[in-house]
Amino acid sequence: MMNRTYIVNQLSERHFQDLMNLYNERSWTKTRTSDEVRAMIDNSYIFGLCDSESDQLIGFTRVVTDYVFRATIYDVIVLEQFQGQGFGRLLLEAVVNSTLIKGIERVDLFCADNRVMFYEKWGFEKVPVTTNYMSLIK
């Protein structure tokens, strides 16, 4: 499977269209517009997982960071027909093994309850309930 994929940190126009298709598959990302996604990419460090044979973007995640103390991983997503085949693992391995993440004091991510065990494999832990996760939603 390793020779079947490669990671990109910039998206070609084709890969951008693949990302928009990928986002359209999910309820939590399907309302994002092309302009919003382009701005998001410009302000994130991205990891795209591409299929070597078809050159299709089949997985994606991004990191927002100050490069020293904090980083947050967002949008870990794999095309539905490629799920359950280890592609999410390849994507997350690329992130946690990257020089981008190596020296950062704390790396956060948010996930659904059914994904907790998946992320624990890389040392992620649930934040204690004494921490208040808060949002300002506009």
Side-chain angles (χ1 to χ4, degrees):
M1 187 168 39
M2 283 297 214
N3 341 349
R4 185 174 170 191
T5 60
Y6 63 96
I7 296 284
V8 295
N9 299 116
Q10 292 186 325
L11 297 185
S12 66
E13 191 54 36
R14 190 261 159 102
H15 291 152
F16 179 81
Q17 293 307 319
D18 290 341
L19 177 60
M20 292 306 296
N21 293 336
L22 187 55
Y23 276 174
N24 284 330
E25 274 191 1
R26 299 296 189 296
S27 59
W28 49 280
T29 51
K30 70 178 176 185
T31 60
R32 295 178 181 181
T33 68
S34 289
D35 288 344
E36 289 171 332
V37 172
R38 286 186 197 282
M40 175 201 78
I41 288 169
D42 288 345
N43 293 291
S44 304
Y45 194 91
I46 66 162
F47 295 81
L49 182 68
C50 298
D51 180 75
S52 298
E53 292 173 23
S54 66
D55 192 38
Q56 180 183 19
L57 182 82
I58 60 171
F60 180 84
T61 191
R62 64 192 182 94
V63 177
V64 176
T65 183
D66 61 17
Y67 299 99
V68 181
F69 299 108
R70 299 289 183 269
T72 305
I73 300 170
Y74 292 101
D75 299 349
V76 179
I77 188 168
V78 173
L79 267 175
E80 240 170 76
Q81 72 257 36
F82 291 95
Q83 289 180 5
Q85 300 173 47
F87 293 108
R89 178 180 54 79
L90 291 177
L91 195 53
L92 207 60
E93 279 176 2
V95 176
V96 297
N97 293 327
S98 70
T99 55
L100 171 73
I101 294 294
K102 284 283 189 217
I104 295 177
E105 180 181 87
R106 177 176 166 165
V107 180
D108 294 314
L109 61 80
F110 305 95
C111 69
D113 289 342
N114 65 347
R115 298 285 190 245
V116 169
M117 287 177 56
F118 174 78
Y119 292 108
E120 285 176 340
K121 295 173 191 170
W122 284 275
F124 286 92
E125 300 172 3
K126 289 183 96 170
V127 175
V129 291
T130 56
T131 300
N132 294 306
Y133 170 65
M134 300 174 73
S135 291
L136 173 63
I137 299 172
K138 298 181 178 189

